Amino acid sequence: MMLGSSNAAVDHPTSNVTAFIRRANSIMRQLSSATLHKFVVKFPLLRGDADHLDRWVSLSAASRARRIVLDLCPEVEKFGDKNQMYSFPLHLFTGGSCVGGNPCVKSLYLGFVSLNLLPLAAGGSTTTSGFTNLKQLTLHKVSIVGDLQSLLPECAVLEWLSLTYCSLHCHDLIIRQPLEQLRYLRVLQCRLQKLQLQAPNLTEFEFTNQQVPLVLGDCINMSMASVELLLLSDDFDYICTKLPVALPHVRDRLTVGTAIRTEALVLTKAGAVFANLRHLILNVTIHGCPQASTGVLRLAYLLDLAPVLEELELHMYCVSAPGFPRNPRDLDAMATSPPARLHERLRIVHMTGFHGSRGQLELAHRILWSTAALDRLIMIIGPRIKVDYYFRNLTFADTGRLVARRYIQDQFPGTVITVL
């Protein structure tokens, strides 16, 4: 059963709500004794509609629905008063709600509701037990009051957990009991101060937040991870020292969104590395003096962090206009001696947002000279900005192409270098 509207007008919200509730109640009366596989309500309702919502949610529990979606997100952000969120009645989902005393819900999606969780009882057990068969839990714009740990340890078979734009009153997401079956974890824009859980079989991880401690246990099967850091300060030390400890086993692809400053001089060397990583994508916003280059050059250290890396993507966005060296002889005199340690596996390097500044140019040279098999390397360089912002400034595109052709392509004739 699905109830919802994708085009409810905001000019007359009261009349739309009344019509929706009247229609929904009529349908509910017809389904009062039915067994449902899926129960979906998608409409912007608030706490004042709790009497109706309580009846509908109670019906979803009594009908033994396996998939429940309650999406009350407002269609226009200005109507999203968090103080008017509907309080989701967890008490309706106890073991007795389903035939045989076994909870039936396998997938639960909650949008724009408040979730009032009971504290852990003595011995670490919870006072409710309604979701022991839950495999997928998605919370979007949910206000979570209490400790989420009081709910998740019940979910021994949980495979998918997503929290996006949620508010956790304790500001930490800490689950001490292992989630053995969890495969996918997404936590975006939740303003956490710490994320800690044990998910030994986690294969995919997405995280958007400020710099916070990440403790995920020993996820030896991690395939893909994405970490976006929100602050516009320089985050490169965090990437080099904390992420390899949190995600040491990520294998197929790691995507990192971050910011750096061009003037930075000191780089803290990491003890841990991404030992199995084959594909690294870095979306980097570059702040600072356009004439400085040391901060940008640090990005070459990523090769040391990923010894078996095969593909590197550097998508750059320079906030300031690029600073070009005044004297072309400065570019011709750049150091060309190879480093002491060469990278054996690198095969593809893709650089975007290349405007020809000295920092970008030195970075390209350092990557090339750090590659053991230059004759098997493919480097693609382009001025187009691929970092996801609302504007694209290609004012320096022609200069970037000219610099890339003259000072990179022409100086490494044995390497396949494509300038877009």
Side-chain angles (χ1 to χ4, degrees), residues 269-311:
K269 296 299 178 95
V273 298
F274 302 109
N276 304 313
L277 183 61
R278 297 197 293 258
H279 186 181
L280 174 62
I281 302 172
L282 185 70
N283 300 309
V284 57
T285 302
I286 302 173
H287 298 266
C289 174
Q291 301 295 335
S293 63
T294 53
V296 179
L297 192 56
R298 291 176 302 161
L299 298 178
Y301 180 59
L302 295 171
L303 298 182
D304 291 340
L305 285 179
V308 299
L309 193 69
E310 299 174 2
E311 185 172 355

Side-chain angles (χ1 to χ4, degrees), residues 52 81 130 179 271 317 373 408:
H52 303 286
D81 185 357
L179 298 174
Y317 169 65
I408 302 176

Side-chain angles (χ1 to χ4, degrees), residues 94-164:
T94 59
S97 297
C98 292
V99 172
N102 295 318
C104 300
V105 183
K106 293 188 176 181
S107 175
L108 177 64
Y109 180 107
L110 299 177
F112 203 74
V113 303
S114 65
L115 202 58
N116 298 296
L117 298 168
L118 297 175
L120 289 175
S125 62
T126 57
T127 55
T128 62
S129 57
F131 298 104
T132 54
N133 287 329
L134 191 66
K135 291 188 175 182
Q136 183 169 335
L137 176 61
T138 303
L139 305 178
H140 179 62
K141 294 185 178 180
V142 172
S143 176
I144 302 172
V145 180
D147 193 343
L148 194 61
Q149 181 174 339
S150 66
L151 173 66
L152 291 184
E154 299 180 6
C155 310
V157 298
L158 190 68
E159 299 175 357
W160 169 293
L161 175 60
S162 174
L163 284 75
T164 55

